[in-house]
Amino acid sequence: MALTTNKYVNEWVDEMAAMTKPDKIVLIDGSKEQIDALRDEACSTGEIIKLNQELLPDCYLHRTAVNDVARVEGRTFICTSKKEDAGNINNWMDPKECYAKLTKLYTGSMKGRTMYVIPYSMSAVGSPFAKYGIELTDSIYVVLNMVIMTRVGLDVLKALGDDAGFIKGLHAKADLDEENRYIVHFPEDNTIWSVNSGYGGNVLLGKKCFALRIASYLGRKEGWMAEHMLILGIEAPNGEVKYVTGAFPSACGKTNLAMLIPPEIYKKKGYKAWCVGDDIAWLRVGDDGRLWAVNPENGFFGVAPGTNEQSNPNALHTCMKNTIFTNVVHNLDNDTVWWEGLDKNPPANAIDWKGNKWDYTKYDKKDKSTCGAHPNSRFTASAANCPCLSSEFNNPAGVPISAIIFGGRRAKTAPLVYQARNWQHGVFVGSIMASETTAAATGAVGGVRRDPMAMRPFTGYDMGDYFGHWLAMGKKISNPPMIFNVNWFRTDDEGHFIWPGFGDNMRVVMWILARCAGEVDAVETPIGFVPKAEDIEIDGLDITVDTVRDLLDVDAALWKEELAGIDEFYKQIGDRVPKELYDELDALKARLG
Ligand code: SAT
Ligand code: MN
């Protein structure tokens, strides 16, 4: 019997099954009975571990293979027919060659296994933003995560109808062989293939693979944008809500900013903060000439370590039920979970992320190999669990964006906040983003790398063309958001963060919104507009206006050192970097003197 009523879906599933040879094919309808049964099956095989159902209802623990704990950028490819279209920043493989190479790896890889067919929607089914995908996978863990992270079910097939316009994702765990791990994208074929991994970002194909790499490609073609951005709403005491998006590299605090708790000074005046999204935004120009955003996801795949009652109580509460924890510590005494930075009571009787007995007394903050939880351990939790979820979360029209905020981890150069002079300059500001690397991708942690718009690992086409698309979008938005850059991570001479961060970042967002409303002045510097120190609210903080002044300082000498690096990076991207951005670079040079 045919699997669905859509012949394109059926033909493609048949073709993939002929290659991978699963014993069984199961359509995921998203029903509670089906998902419960899959969960039970995964528990019985040890793929997931059921946690204390009184303390953590419907929560489970999963451990990935030890060699499979983060996205693998070196093994991620964009396979366009012309190499130039993938650009110099992406890894490229010829599509024909890539299909052939991976076909060998997939062939027979699902023998003895079940192939699950997951119909899913990115953003609310039926929304003008919505795009549909089908992921084929032999991993129940993937099914259970996709059910949380996206909208899964038969209504997706219904909305797709007889159409061929769905994103075809194929995932096989195969042998989890690192040497043969590939995450490849064929934007011209709406296809994603992933093999030999079981880690979230590599295998939850709706997330980075579709909602960023493929979607960015589609967005350029169709005149919209797919960005690595959180979406945050700030509600004023009069009930009016203003929305901002924020682009930060992985593990730089997007989830924390997206779920912030307002500092006391704002709370008592009646301000509230609402989370629309913590990782990905799809943006379109509305009839009103503004930029409108939706979060295409339906859950959070957040970094666990450092999440606690102070840093992000909303995230903590979000993952206290119906959550899958990956690579955290298992507390055997009460069947709960733990991670570094959760609290000061590491469990004495525990298993670490590798599945070994863990001795917390040997834990050394400076030696990551002694951690109980992997630094990139994660929680997968439903957006609906989030105490500060915006009432607009499911609004098919999205929310109007007042400001776009770029940011990264910089110990010195970037000030706490600055505002771009206009859209074009803002695109330049985004394009020169740089950040110290984190554990979210394999590789060295802590070096500075250029990460334009936080999209370096996620742009499905040439980076120069991507900048060009930003400039082109600016021409279509008659009432564009203002563009800012923030840096929460400036350090003092001993390497301590100066700015308190977390919920107190709202103080900076409030200045940003005041600028958007034309309510506050700013000081012009060579890099853009910075606040007057006294305009950053510090009531309730133990830092002084002078410290804020230091945080806002623009060190011309450091910026002059940046110039050569920017030029070099543009050259590396290649000849599609728009002239406008070189003009901006020249103008910056001139302003720095
Ligand atoms: O691993 S994911 O790509 O899903 C998360 C991240 O790195 O931002
Ligand atoms: Mn991310």
Side-chain angles (χ1 to χ4, degrees):
M1 210 187 79
L3 195 67
T4 74
T5 54
N6 180 310
K7 77 168 182 181
Y8 302 101
V9 174
N10 294 343
E11 279 169 15
W12 169 67
V13 174
D14 285 348
E15 196 190 325
M16 297 302 104
M19 172 170 69
T20 54
K21 304 197 170 53
D23 284 11
K24 255 194 330 189
I25 300 178
V26 171
L27 177 65
I28 299 299
D29 59 23
S31 67
K32 185 173 177 328
E33 301 72 44
Q34 186 188 44
I35 300 307
D36 284 349
L38 285 173
R39 236 183 248 120
D40 289 347
E41 186 182 335
C43 284
S44 73
T45 60
E47 187 175 353
I48 59 174
I49 297 166
K50 195 176 206 154
L51 295 167
N52 185 321
Q53 296 296 296
E54 256 158 57
L55 298 174
L56 297 169
D58 290 317
C59 289
Y60 297 82
L61 170 66
H62 171 77
R63 289 192 281 266
T64 64
V66 175
N67 71 5
D68 191 21
V69 293
R71 282 181 290 101
V72 278
E73 294 179 5
R75 310 205 64 93
T76 301
F77 291 80
I78 302 295
C79 304
T80 41
S81 38
K82 287 200 215 111
K83 182 175 191 309
E84 311 85 270
D85 292 341
N88 294 335
I89 299 297
N90 283 312
N91 301 314
W92 175 84
M93 231 192 290
D94 174 70
K96 268 203 212 94
E97 189 191 311
C98 186
Y99 279 127
K101 191 182 185 105
L102 268 68
T103 294
K104 285 201 191 113
L105 300 175
Y106 280 118
T107 297
S109 65
M110 294 192 189
K111 266 188 202 151
R113 299 181 185 179
T114 300
M115 175 193 269
Y116 301 98
V117 180
I118 315 171
Y120 66 95
S121 174
M122 298 314 291
S123 85
V125 178
S127 147
F129 286 84
K131 298 254 174 214
Y132 307 123
I134 297 188
E135 176 163 355
L136 310 179
T137 178
D138 56 359
S139 158
I140 299 182
Y141 171 76
V142 168
V143 175
L144 299 178
N145 274 272
M146 285 295 284
V147 164
I148 299 173
M149 293 304 298
T150 72
R151 283 117 171 140
V152 168
L154 298 182
D155 54 336
V156 175
L157 288 176
K158 201 162 158 200
L160 179 64
D162 300 329
D163 211 81
F166 61 97
I167 305 300
K168 297 176 253 187
L170 173 65
H171 165 246
K173 285 185 291 191
D175 312 314
L176 299 178
D177 171 10
E178 254 177 306
E179 301 300 312
N180 281 310
R181 185 168 296 154
Y182 288 98
I183 319 299
V184 303
H185 308 71
F186 305 92
E188 292 155 1
D189 301 344
N190 286 335
T191 295
I192 305 158
W193 279 12
S194 162
V195 67
N196 276 310
S197 175
Y199 167 75
N202 299 331
V203 300
L204 308 179
L205 301 185
K207 198 175 179 54
K208 300 297 171 48
C209 299
F210 175 175
L212 287 178
R213 296 193 191 99
I214 297 285
S216 63
Y217 177 93
L218 293 175
R220 174 160 178 258
K221 226 167 60 177
E222 299 168 1
W224 54 282
M225 304 163 92
E227 298 295 333
H228 193 200
M229 290 176 174
L230 66 93
I231 310 168
L232 165 70
I234 300 288
E235 180 177 335
N238 67 6
E240 200 190 339
V241 188
K242 295 253 169 72
Y243 298 90
V244 302
T245 63
F248 302 81
S250 300
C252 284
K254 279 200 303 300
T255 306
N256 292 338
L257 185 61
M259 297 184 188
L260 71 82
I261 303 254
E264 220 32 63
I265 172 89
Y266 296 118
K267 236 194 255 176
K268 71 178 185 229
K269 287 185 192 159
Y271 284 91
K272 293 180 184 138
W274 301 108
C275 172
V276 182
D278 80 325
D279 194 38
I280 298 175
W282 284 359
L283 304 134
R284 286 176 184 273
V285 187
D287 296 335
D288 59 355
R290 305 186 67 186
L291 198 57
W292 289 69
V294 295
N295 168 12
E297 300 191 279
N298 202 27
F300 307 112
F301 187 61
V303 177
T307 305
N308 60 49
E309 213 38 91
Q310 281 73 47
S311 67
N312 193 342
N314 283 320
L316 200 59
H317 296 178
T318 302
C319 65
M320 286 298 120
K321 59 178 183 192
N322 344 89
T323 293
I324 301 170
F325 295 96
T326 300
N327 292 343
V328 299
V329 176
H330 186 190
N331 180 346
L332 295 175
D333 281 337
N334 61 2
D335 254 327
T336 58
V337 289
W338 191 85
W339 49 77
E340 280 70 20
L342 173 63
D343 56 34
K344 299 223 154 60
N345 312 307
N349 181 20
I351 302 286
D352 69 10
W353 70 271
K354 294 180 186 160
N356 301 324
K357 189 92 185 93
W358 182 59
D359 180 356
Y360 74 90
T361 62
K362 304 246 163 71
Y363 170 60
D364 169 7
K365 223 180 166 168
K366 287 186 214 91
D367 178 3
K368 292 284 182 208
S369 72
T370 64
C371 282
H374 187 275
N376 192 40
S377 55
R378 299 267 169 171
F379 56 82
T380 316
S382 174
N385 289 356
C386 179
C388 59
L389 191 71
S390 163
S391 59
E392 303 306 297
F393 176 76
N394 281 310
N395 188 334
V399 294
I401 300 303
S402 299
I404 292 173
I405 306 173
F406 294 122
R409 281 177 190 266
R410 290 309 294 272
K412 297 284 174 234
T413 318
L416 180 62
V417 57
Y418 69 98
Q419 181 187 3
R421 308 161 77 88
N422 51 45
W423 182 271
Q424 176 173 305
H425 181 233
V427 175
F428 172 74
V429 167
S431 79
I432 66 168
M433 261 171 74
S435 192
E436 285 142 33
T437 49
T438 68
T442 51
V445 170
V448 170
R449 80 161 177 175
R450 299 263 154 218
D451 189 353
M453 284 83 169
M455 281 290 280
R456 181 180 183 133
F458 306 122
T459 307
Y461 59 100
D462 179 87
M463 189 58 77
D465 284 342
Y466 170 76
F467 295 158
H469 181 49
W470 265 83
L471 293 174
M473 285 299 294
K475 301 213 167 75
K476 295 206 301 191
I477 315 168
S478 53
N479 189 0
M482 292 189 174
I483 300 180
F484 298 80
N485 191 88
V486 299
N487 177 25
W488 318 131
F489 300 96
R490 261 208 190 179
T491 54
D492 62 19
D493 293 336
E494 276 100 57
H496 302 119
F497 295 124
I498 305 171
W499 179 249
F502 302 107
D504 288 313
N505 292 336
M506 178 167 163
R507 299 165 189 271
V508 174
V509 175
M510 292 300 283
W511 181 80
I512 287 173
L513 289 177
R515 282 297 287 171
C516 294
E519 291 165 358
V520 67
D521 271 347
V523 184
E524 189 169 358
T525 77
I527 62 167
F529 299 96
V530 301
K532 295 182 177 158
E534 57 275 18
D535 287 334
I536 297 291
E537 178 63 73
I538 52 171
D539 182 288
L541 292 184
D542 55 9
I543 65 173
T544 62
V545 182
D546 283 333
T547 310
V548 175
R549 201 164 287 122
D550 288 345
L551 283 165
L552 292 170
D553 179 55
V554 176
D555 183 333
L558 282 180
W559 277 91
K560 280 186 196 162
E561 281 171 33
E562 285 283 292
L563 295 172
I566 296 167
D567 190 66
E568 192 186 322
F569 181 57
Y570 280 180
K571 295 266 153 47
Q572 191 192 336
I573 294 173
D575 52 15
R576 297 194 190 181
V577 172
K579 178 179 172 301
E580 289 90 331
L581 296 190
Y582 279 107
D583 291 346
E584 290 293 342
L585 181 57
D586 287 342
L588 174 60
K589 226 177 267 179
R591 288 195 301 265
L592 285 167

